[in-house]
Amino acid sequence: MEQKIHQGRNVKRFREMLNIKQEALAYDLGEDWNQKKISMLEQKDVIEENLLKQISAVLKIPVEAFQNFDEKQAINIISNTFDNGAIGYQMNDNCTFNPVKEVLKLHEEKIALYERMLKEKDEMMQKLEKLIK
């Protein structure tokens, strides 16, 4: 048994997802439209192709979305994809480097820098002693 796609309900869903009120959609569709007419449109099973194109242009959603979106199928896919322990994002906790080695490397670089600074200080002290004598 093939299930029919309710195009009016799809228009309503997408309009609500975009947070657009019926009055605003009616205004964008033209003078012939009002909130009550949009409400009646959203109750229709099938909407004329040219009207769907107008709504598509206003909401910036492809006509095919109104014609093919099936909420029950989408919910079925989501419910079969996620289980109780599933999360909606993926986090990569695997480091590609060893943090301890990196800290040790930084520590060694710091020690080398201090040694160079001490050497330069000693050289400067020797130059100053020569100048004083």
Side-chain angles (χ1 to χ4, degrees), residues 72-121:
K72 290 180 183 176
Q73 186 64 28
I75 291 171
N76 187 28
I77 290 169
I78 292 169
S79 65
N80 288 333
T81 304
F82 293 104
D83 63 357
N84 290 338
I87 53 176
Y89 63 92
Q90 181 178 2
M91 192 167 140
N92 185 5
D93 289 334
N94 299 330
C95 289
T96 57
F97 59 92
N98 186 342
V100 175
K101 285 184 181 178
E102 293 295 319
V103 170
L104 287 174
K105 181 180 169 187
L106 289 173
H107 182 68
E108 290 169 1
E109 289 175 2
K110 183 173 74 169
I111 289 173
L113 176 64
Y114 284 143
E115 288 173 353
R116 280 197 315 271
M117 289 172 64
L118 282 172
K119 183 179 176 186
E120 287 178 13
K121 182 193 79 113

Side-chain angles (χ1 to χ4, degrees), residues 13-63:
R13 278 193 194 95
F14 288 116
R15 177 186 58 75
E16 288 174 344
M17 281 190 253
L18 295 170
N19 201 21
I20 296 174
K21 298 216 176 283
Q22 288 179 332
E23 295 89 5
L25 180 58
Y27 178 80
D28 288 339
L29 286 175
E31 293 179 10
D32 298 342
W33 289 89
N34 57 32
Q35 181 271 324
K36 186 173 183 176
K37 203 169 174 184
I38 296 293
S39 180
M40 301 273 289
L41 172 81
E42 290 176 350
Q43 295 172 18
K44 288 176 122 183
D45 284 338
V46 178
I47 300 173
E48 299 80 32
E49 182 83 23
N50 62 343
L51 183 53
L52 270 181
K53 287 180 182 176
Q54 289 177 334
I55 296 169
S56 170
V58 169
L59 297 180
K60 296 178 178 61
I61 294 175
V63 173

